Amino acid sequence: RKEVEQDPGPFNVPEGATVAFNCTYSNSASQSFFWYRQDCRKEPKLLMSVYSSGNEDGRFTAQLNRASQYISLLIRDSKLSDSATYLCVVNLNYGGSQGNLIFGKGTKLSVKP
Amino acid sequence: NAGVTQTPKFRVLKTGQSMTLLCAQDMNHEYMYWYRQDPGMGLRLIHYSVGEGTTAKGEVPDGYNVSRLKKQNFLLGLESAAPSQTSVYFCASRPVGAQETQYFGPGTRLLVL
């Protein structure tokens, strides 16, 4: 089983739609969680951290379920500019891991007019 | 504050040639990382460093060497390039802290013929 798994997509949605991405992780020792956004031919950029209590940043909501080892990202009222690949990222941060990040392969989102 | 910068942005090599990729960060971060990103493979960690003068192997270290002589710089070397090393290389850095995430440079596109 891969350490961080995501549906690769692509998700093709119309402007204004609500879209949800899911991610599962295999290592229960994982300590912190993030969603990154990567535009075509660009570097990954931090979108938001994910906390157990859930957190919201404008149209974006992230949720974490430690019991199920499951992370989600919800985007409301999709914009054309939301088109990108969304990476689910986990920080093991234990023992010899030195806080290295484990990246999912990403879910591609395409928002159409 | 330039963040994380990478040199060069693009390079073409012939099989067997050597080259060094430079990563520089001006955020006084302790930790630095080199990744490669290939289609369908996601980001994979090559080597990392937890401080000046220290380096460690990541997931895919073979064929690469690194050095961290100064805190702000992390060099990735290819001694004898192979076509399998054609990829996009990203450098990242982060501060010390369990919940801290990584900040990426713009990437270096390498083509080995």
Side-chain angles (χ1 to χ4, degrees):
Chain A
R1 181 181 174 185
K2 298 193 187 306
E3 295 201 60
V4 179
E5 292 200 63
Q6 296 181 248
D7 182 339
F11 283 51
N12 297 309
V13 303
E15 269 187 293
T18 295
V19 60
F21 303 138
N22 303 317
C23 167
T24 58
Y25 60 95
S26 60
N27 195 320
S28 59
S30 301
Q31 294 291 325
S32 48
F33 310 88
F34 310 92
W35 283 102
Y36 274 71
R37 170 194 169 125
Q38 186 172 24
D39 294 294
C40 187
R41 302 176 73 85
K42 299 287 189 180
E43 73 272 25
K45 291 185 178 179
L46 178 66
L47 178 66
M48 58 197 303
S49 300
V50 188
Y51 305 115
S52 295
S53 55
N55 48 303
E56 189 173 309
D57 182 2
R59 298 182 291 108
F60 298 83
T61 301
Q63 296 277 355
L64 168 64
N65 184 322
R66 285 187 184 269
S68 302
Q69 296 181 200
Y70 171 92
I71 307 162
S72 66
L73 176 68
L74 183 75
I75 305 175
R76 291 180 299 278
D77 189 22
S78 299
K79 311 292 185 190
L80 295 176
S81 57
D82 293 333
S83 297
T85 296
Y86 291 83
L87 308 176
C88 177
V89 184
V90 170
N91 183 337
L92 294 178
N93 198 41
Y94 73 97
S97 75
Q98 303 288 356
N100 290 346
L101 298 182
I102 308 297
F103 289 81
K105 293 182 180 179
T107 299
K108 187 172 182 179
L109 172 66
S110 181
V111 182
K112 305 291 187 184
Chain B
N1 191 338
V4 181
T5 58
Q6 292 183 232
T7 308
K9 289 185 170 54
F10 178 70
R11 183 77 183 268
V12 179
L13 287 180
K14 294 181 180 178
T15 297
Q17 287 185 317
S18 63
M19 78 164 294
T20 300
L21 283 67
L22 170 64
C23 176
Q25 52 95 4
D26 61 2
M27 298 176 282
N28 201 36
H29 287 172
E30 287 293 333
Y31 292 11
M32 296 187 75
Y33 306 83
W34 275 107
Y35 294 89
R36 61 179 288 174
Q37 188 174 37
D38 303 291
M41 298 296 292
L43 280 158
R44 293 184 291 169
L45 183 63
I46 304 172
H47 285 280
Y48 64 99
S49 168
V50 299
E52 183 178 318
T54 72
T55 62
K57 293 180 179 179
E59 180 187 354
V60 288
D62 294 342
Y64 305 95
N65 56 75
V66 287
S67 64
R68 183 103 181 263
L69 299 179
K70 294 182 178 180
K71 186 177 183 179
Q72 63 267 34
N73 295 337
F74 195 28
L75 279 63
L76 178 71
L78 286 73
E79 289 187 350
S80 180
S84 61
Q85 294 178 303
T86 293
S87 188
V88 180
Y89 292 86
F90 288 105
C91 175
S93 70
R94 77 169 179 94
V96 174
Q99 303 300 321
E100 293 291 342
T101 191
Q102 295 176 17
Y103 299 89
F104 284 80
T108 294
R109 297 186 175 276
L110 177 65
L111 174 62
V112 183
L113 301 176

